[in-house]
């Protein structure tokens, strides 16, 4: 599922996600639990303000963000 993501931009552009939108709802990233990098993608496992875990994938070649999985904790 393709989503809109707002990122913190510090020393380099789009360092990490801080907020994302699914449908009509915005989610604030409360914690980056894990992150890793592939040859063409960056992955972020985040805990959002609804207390669920989301796996966000940033495809750098097209600057596209996707939600790869949602883990409901509540």
């Amino acid at each position: 599922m393709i989503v809109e993501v707002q990122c913190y931009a510090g020393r380099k552009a789009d360092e990490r996600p801080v907020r994302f939108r699914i449908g009509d709802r915005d989610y604030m990233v409360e914690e980056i639990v894990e992150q890793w990098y592939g040859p063409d993608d960056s992955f972020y496992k985040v805990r959002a303000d609804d207390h669920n875990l989301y796996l966000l994938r940033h495809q750098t070649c097209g600057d596209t963000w996707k939600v790869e999985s949602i883990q409901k904790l509540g």
Side-chain angles (χ1 to χ4, degrees), residues 6-18 32 35-38 41-44 58 60 63 65:
Q6 292 179 342
C7 292
Y8 169 79
R11 294 179 58 199
K12 59 182 184 172
D14 297 340
E15 282 189 19
R16 66 180 187 276
V18 294
I32 295 177
Q35 72 183 59
W36 63 96
Y37 303 95
D41 306 309
S42 301
F43 296 88
Y44 299 87
H58 183 219
T60 53
D63 196 27
W65 286 86

Side-chain angles (χ1 to χ4, degrees), residues 13-64:
D14 297 340
E15 282 189 19
R16 66 180 187 276
V18 294
R19 177 186 304 203
F20 59 98
R21 182 180 205 68
I22 298 175
D24 293 335
R25 181 153 182 334
D26 286 332
Y27 298 86
M28 295 296 297
V29 173
E30 292 190 341
E31 176 185 9
I32 295 177
V33 177
E34 191 175 356
Q35 72 183 59
W36 63 96
Y37 303 95
D40 300 317
D41 306 309
S42 301
F43 296 88
Y44 299 87
K45 182 187 270 187
V46 301
R47 185 174 50 81
D49 57 356
D50 67 348
H51 306 292
N52 293 320
L53 294 176
Y54 295 83
L55 179 57
L56 303 176
R57 175 180 165 193
H58 183 219
Q59 295 175 294
T60 53
C61 64
D63 196 27
T64 305

